[in-house]
Amino acid sequence: MGNHGVASARLRAGKTSQHARESALANFRSRRPLTLRDWPVSWRLIAVIVMALVIGLVFGGLRIYSAEDSAAQFGRVSKLAELGERVTILVQDLQSERDRTLGVIAGGDLNALRPLYDTTDTEAARVQALAVGVDGSFPANIQASVAAVLSQISTKGLGTLRETAQGQGSDVLGVIADYATPIGEMITLNDEIAQGTSDASLANDVRTLNSLALAKDTAAQQRALLYNAFTQQFFGDGVVQTLTAVQSEEFADEAAFESTATQAERSAFSTTVNGPGVNKAEVIEDFFFVDGGDQQPLNTDTINPSSIGFTLAQAPTIWYQAMTQKLDEMQTVEQGIAGNIVARAHSLERGAQQSALITTIITAIVLSLVLVAALLMARSLVRPLRRLREGALDIATMQLPERVRLLGEAQDPATSLDVAPIDVLSADEIGQVARAFDQVHAEAVRLAGNEAMLRNSFNAMFVNLSRRSQSLIERLARMIDSLEQNEADPDRLSNLFSMDHLVTRMRRNSENLLLLAGHESARKWSEAVPLADVARAAT
């Protein structure tokens, strides 16, 4: 058996052992449950990345949801603000309709109310169109308020209201009470515009608008009550007391307006609500409630045109025009505040939408960066590990056995002991493991080289011993053959044959040394041998 045969046998034994180890490891893993520590590294890294992304998506989603919810909330506020802006106009129309009704039922033509009814109906239709946007996403109390307003300003509701007011006759306070319901519902709705928001400026403007709306309504009630009294030329039951009460309420509401209004709003009110109509209305109120109070009768004897500037016959028109101018000026300020509320609501809605968009973009960018960074980090770990695994398996199953075979066949094993390092050049723990495995590989090759050198030394020793003994054995065999040819004594010839047999066995032992050293037998037959010689030699 030569060096190649020995190396091949060892290689087959190594591969058999490797396959046995892999088979045993596979059987062990198939029997045990797949626990976390048995997961591939790539699975673990993917699990960590997925968990991080899920957590980021959850928190980012919550932040986006909060921003979207704020945008939706401010969107609802914007719709309410737009609705409230139209409601203030409708309130003014209802007040004008109510106040004119109190003058007409005292003895006028009811057909004079038709233009006011048409104006109110037109504005009511606009409010109804805007109220459609108040859906189930709004709070229940706001939906209820809108439903109540829509019920009051529907065609049936307004028709019933007008019929009831026209049938009141001389019941002035009854008409005021009839119109107080829809007007109060609308003022209440406007007071709920800022519900659910945390913006202080918006909430303050809503309170200011509500105070001014209440002040304007009490002023309109004064216009209605005095207009009716001037038309009938007497105060009805409880009218003076009601006038005094609503006048006090107006002062209180204006004080509330002053306390919540901004400097610009207060300046706009003092500048706008300051026309000749306001002055004329104050003169009339002072004449009847300061100078005379409820004892001042309404007749031509007590009303001196020179002292008040008009006669009793002129009083209804002058009073109504003066108070209408005041109310129009108050509505101008009211519309300005309502416009500010609409603008603020739109601004908050746009800000919330931009915040939601920015939050979405930032969340997407951050998650993308985290994903890219995590993938890069995972790649920087997994790829070296895979190269290390592939290199280690290649060394264990291919390179090292082949190198051992080549070292066994090489004449000088010491000249080829260098090993190629595994293709992992990083300085981290993976690179350190690769360098450690390179050292193990180099040590295994060095030991294999030393083993080959030792084996070559033994082989050379066996060859030297075999060759030295073979020369002596050949000489001894020739001497025995010579003696056999010249010997006639059968006993001595038998002894010579025995000696020749021993010499043949010694030759075979010497040839065995050559075989152990990896050499072939030196005795080779190059020519055919007669069968008789073979039989004789065997005998």
Side-chain angles (χ1 to χ4, degrees):
M1 181 183 297
N3 288 338
H4 179 71
V6 174
S8 299
R10 292 181 177 178
L11 179 59
R12 287 194 297 272
K15 288 184 177 179
T16 302
S17 178
Q18 176 69 20
H19 290 325
R21 287 194 299 270
E22 291 181 354
S23 177
L25 182 59
N27 292 334
F28 173 73
R29 288 179 175 174
S30 63
R31 288 194 305 268
R32 65 181 292 179
L34 188 61
T35 58
L36 181 61
R37 63 181 180 180
D38 293 328
W39 285 15
V41 175
S42 58
W43 289 16
R44 301 182 195 181
L45 292 176
I46 291 174
V48 172
I49 293 172
V50 170
M51 289 178 62
L53 289 178
V54 168
I55 293 173
L57 286 173
V58 169
F59 284 101
L62 291 175
R63 185 66 184 89
I64 294 172
Y65 175 79
S66 177
E68 288 290 347
D69 185 64
S70 297
Q73 173 64 26
F74 286 125
R76 291 190 289 269
V77 172
S78 297
K79 291 181 179 179
L80 284 178
E82 293 173 355
L83 178 62
E85 190 175 24
R86 300 308 306 181
V87 164
T88 57
I89 300 176
L90 179 57
V91 168
Q92 178 86 352
D93 293 337
L94 282 174
Q95 290 167 345
S96 298
E97 180 181 311
R98 175 196 62 193
D99 299 348
R100 275 292 187 183
T101 300
L102 286 176
V104 170
I105 63 175
D109 185 8
L110 294 177
N111 292 326
L113 299 174
R114 178 51 53 189
L116 295 176
Y117 290 166
D118 293 340
T119 301
T120 302
D121 291 341
T122 301
E123 197 60 40
R126 294 174 181 173
V127 171
Q128 290 169 350
L130 288 175
V132 174
V134 181
D135 51 20
S137 62
F138 286 76
N141 63 320
I142 292 179
Q143 295 182 52
S145 297
V146 172
V149 170
L150 292 177
S151 176
Q152 294 292 335
I153 66 174
S154 65
T155 302
K156 180 179 180 181
L158 290 177
T160 302
L161 174 66
R162 290 160 183 167
E163 291 178 1
T164 303
Q166 293 174 10
Q168 291 289 349
S170 60
D171 189 3
V172 177
L173 300 182
V175 175
I176 296 292
D178 292 338
Y179 276 87
T181 300
I183 292 174
E185 293 285 357
M186 286 184 279
I187 293 176
T188 300
L189 176 61
N190 279 353
D191 193 36
E192 296 172 345
I193 291 176
Q195 179 179 330
T197 63
S198 58
D199 186 73
S201 177
L202 180 65
N204 189 73
D205 281 345
V206 170
R207 288 193 295 270
T208 302
L209 178 66
N210 182 67
S211 299
L212 183 58
L214 292 174
K216 185 166 72 70
D217 186 53
T218 54
Q221 291 182 40
Q222 295 175 55
R223 178 183 66 177
L225 293 172
L226 274 179
Y227 182 57
N228 178 267
F230 287 148
T231 302
Q232 298 185 91
Q233 297 186 8
F234 69 88
F235 289 110
D237 294 338
V239 171
V240 174
Q241 292 81 358
T242 303
L243 276 170
T244 304
V246 296
Q247 190 177 42
S248 300
E249 291 177 8
E250 180 186 1
F251 292 151
D253 293 332
E254 288 182 358
F257 167 81
E258 293 286 339
S259 64
T260 59
T262 63
Q263 180 61 40
E265 291 167 345
R266 289 194 296 269
S267 177
F269 184 84
S270 61
T271 302
T272 304
V273 189
N274 194 24
V278 176
N279 297 330
K280 176 64 71 173
E282 291 178 352
V283 169
I284 295 174
E285 288 177 341
D286 291 342
F287 178 79
F288 285 100
F289 293 99
V290 176
D291 294 340
D294 59 353
Q295 300 299 322
Q296 186 72 29
L298 290 177
N299 54 58
T300 55
D301 296 333
T302 57
I303 298 180
N304 187 354
S306 61
S307 62
I308 196 172
F310 58 85
T311 63
L312 183 59
Q314 297 171 331
T317 303
I318 293 176
W319 166 253
Y320 192 88
Q321 291 176 349
M323 284 299 294
T324 299
Q325 183 179 356
K326 176 182 178 180
L327 292 174
D328 289 342
E329 291 170 351
M330 293 180 72
Q331 188 186 31
T332 300
V333 179
E334 186 181 27
Q335 286 293 106
I337 298 174
N340 292 338
I341 293 174
V342 172
R344 180 62 180 172
H346 286 325
S347 176
L348 292 173
E349 182 183 8
R350 288 192 300 270
Q353 291 174 346
Q354 292 176 356
S355 176
L357 179 61
I358 292 173
T359 302
T360 302
I361 294 174
I362 291 176
T363 302
I365 292 175
V366 170
L367 290 179
S368 299
L369 292 176
V370 170
L371 178 60
V372 171
L375 290 177
L376 291 176
M377 293 298 295
R379 183 184 179 188
S380 68
L381 291 175
V382 172
R383 292 187 65 184
L385 280 174
R386 287 179 176 173
R387 289 199 300 267
L388 176 60
R389 176 180 177 273
E390 293 171 358
L393 290 175
D394 183 61
I395 290 172
T397 59
M398 299 294 296
Q399 294 185 28
L400 188 57
E402 181 67 15
R403 191 65 175 275
V404 171
R405 185 186 67 79
L406 293 176
L407 288 174
E409 296 177 353
Q411 296 298 325
D412 187 8
T415 60
S416 57
L417 297 180
D418 295 334
V419 297
I422 297 176
D423 186 21
V424 178
L425 305 179
S426 60
D428 57 358
E429 288 81 356
I430 301 175
Q432 294 172 9
V433 172
R435 300 291 77 77
F437 199 87
D438 290 339
Q439 293 179 4
V440 173
H441 185 196
E443 186 65 18
V445 171
R446 186 187 67 80
L447 292 176
N450 292 340
E451 181 184 355
M453 292 175 63
L454 181 61
R455 186 169 57 251
N456 288 340
S457 299
F458 278 107
N459 291 341
M461 181 179 66
F462 289 156
V463 170
N464 289 334
L465 291 175
S466 176
R467 287 176 179 174
R468 287 179 183 181
S469 62
Q470 278 184 355
S471 62
L472 296 176
I473 291 170
E474 291 297 331
R475 290 173 61 185
L476 181 60
R478 285 193 298 269
M479 289 177 64
I480 293 174
D481 287 340
S482 176
L483 291 174
E484 287 177 350
Q485 292 175 4
N486 298 325
E487 183 62 48
D489 187 358
D491 293 333
R492 289 181 178 179
L493 185 60
S494 176
N495 291 331
L496 290 174
F497 282 154
S498 297
M499 291 177 64
D500 185 54
H501 178 67
L502 292 175
V503 169
T504 300
R505 292 180 64 183
M506 291 175 64
R507 182 187 294 114
R508 290 175 179 173
N509 289 337
S510 179
E511 290 175 353
N512 287 338
L513 290 177
L514 290 178
L515 293 176
L516 289 175
H519 290 265
E520 294 182 358
S521 175
R523 300 179 63 193
K524 295 183 180 179
W525 301 99
S526 60
E527 296 179 358
V529 179
L531 183 59
D533 292 343
V534 174
R536 186 169 46 252
T539 303

